[in-house]
Amino acid sequence: MRIWLDGGLRDVDDARVSVLDHGLTVGDGVFETVKTTDGTPFALTRHIERLATSARGLGLPEPDPDEVRRACAAVTEAEPVPLGRLRITYTGGPSPLGSDRGDVSPTLVVVLTEAPRRPDTTAVITVPWTRNERGALAGLKTTSYGENVMALARAHREGAGEALFANTVGRLCEGTGTNVFVVLDGELHTPPLESGCLAGITRALVAEWAGARETDLPMNVLEQAEEIFLTSSLRDVQAVHRVDDRLLPGAPGPVTLKAMKLFAERSAADPDPR
């Protein structure tokens, strides 16, 4: 494995980040996960733009987009895989212990690993913890992922592949690493960004291409929806066949199948949609 770290490619045994890096000590960092197919990243421009947005929101200096793009190219060329997870991590760099940042440059790490193909359907659970739609990190893709780790572990213990959160006012928000769509009376809906959900790259493209509406949704919509599906960079469009104890027979349904087909065709035709 070859890893880009602060300016160049390194072997995995030589790619070392300081134990005082703020991303490690307090989760002061942002990241992106990009799907690659035969060495070609999907929607890289959108991912780099969102990385910059998250960095600004966290108070970090914006990463150099040209350097990020060079790093991604170097890693994908060094590690060609049929289907890959390209991870871009950008942190506050070595800093004092505690919340104060140091005065050194941020740390940039890019690594590529092979990714398994996701199944066409999955089960999800709802969890009792909430997303804070008014919090400082709302809508930012940061490395402060402890809540997601806990929720996904619970999902796996209950035989599910994802966990869904409400926000603090009981509205449907998002999954641990996914956005959620529901079909009501044949129409496609997804929670608005004001719910506190991440502005997912796949979410935005599916909403545009499949004609989804942003709708403020109660959590009990999961008990009523005719179809439910998840989106993310590695899942693309993935149907849900069970929510908690509720089965959705026939998943993926017709609206989900249409979204799957549209996304597969459009993403294959343009690997970097703007």
Side-chain angles (χ1 to χ4, degrees), residues 15 20 34 59 67 81 86 128 185 207 267:
L20 298 179
V34 185
E67 181 185 7
V81 294
L86 183 67
D185 295 326
S267 60

Side-chain angles (χ1 to χ4, degrees), residues 21-42:
D21 192 287
H22 232 208
L24 172 65
T25 57
V26 298
D28 180 24
V30 297
F31 77 100
E32 289 291 316
T33 298
V34 185
K35 181 180 73 172
T36 68
T37 304
D38 295 326
T40 299
F42 178 69

Side-chain angles (χ1 to χ4, degrees), residues 6 91-94 103-107:
D6 289 341
T91 78
D103 56 4
V104 299
S105 298
T107 300

Side-chain angles (χ1 to χ4, degrees), residues 190-268:
T190 192
L193 298 182
E194 291 78 14
S195 70
C197 69
L198 183 71
I201 304 299
T202 308
R203 170 192 178 276
L205 293 172
V206 168
E208 176 186 344
W209 294 343
R213 294 171 52 189
E214 288 194 346
T215 308
D216 183 30
L217 300 164
M219 280 299 284
N220 66 9
V221 74
L222 299 173
E223 302 168 9
Q224 305 161 3
E226 298 131 38
E227 300 175 42
I228 303 170
F229 65 77
L230 308 175
T231 61
S232 75
S233 291
L234 289 177
R235 294 177 193 251
D236 294 341
V237 177
Q238 184 181 40
V240 171
H241 64 254
R242 175 171 64 85
V243 181
D244 293 327
D245 294 328
R246 183 195 175 204
L247 298 178
L248 287 89
V255 178
T256 304
L257 282 171
K258 180 182 177 182
M260 285 178 164
K261 184 173 184 290
L262 276 170
F263 188 80
E265 292 174 351
R266 296 286 292 268
S267 60

Side-chain angles (χ1 to χ4, degrees), residues 132-200:
N132 183 358
E133 73 281 3
R134 295 170 293 172
L137 303 184
L140 305 181
K141 196 169 180 68
T142 78
T143 57
S144 298
Y145 240 49
E147 288 183 348
N148 295 325
V149 171
M150 291 178 62
L152 189 58
R154 174 178 283 204
H156 289 165
R157 289 196 300 270
E158 297 186 19
E162 179 61 304
L164 299 180
F165 293 92
N167 62 18
T168 64
V169 291
R171 314 304 281 183
L172 180 63
C173 187
E174 64 179 352
T176 68
T178 61
N179 292 108
V180 59
F181 288 73
V182 300
V183 178
L184 300 169
D185 295 326
E187 293 189 345
L188 190 56
H189 302 262
T190 192
L193 298 182
E194 291 78 14
S195 70
C197 69
L198 183 71

Side-chain angles (χ1 to χ4, degrees), residues 87-123:
R87 162 83 180 220
I88 308 166
T89 307
Y90 182 74
T91 78
S95 302
L97 292 175
S99 297
D100 288 333
R101 289 193 176 115
D103 56 4
V104 299
S105 298
T107 300
L108 174 65
V109 180
V110 180
V111 60
L112 178 69
T113 61
E114 190 164 4
R117 186 189 181 280
R118 58 102 177 103
D120 286 339
T121 74
T122 192

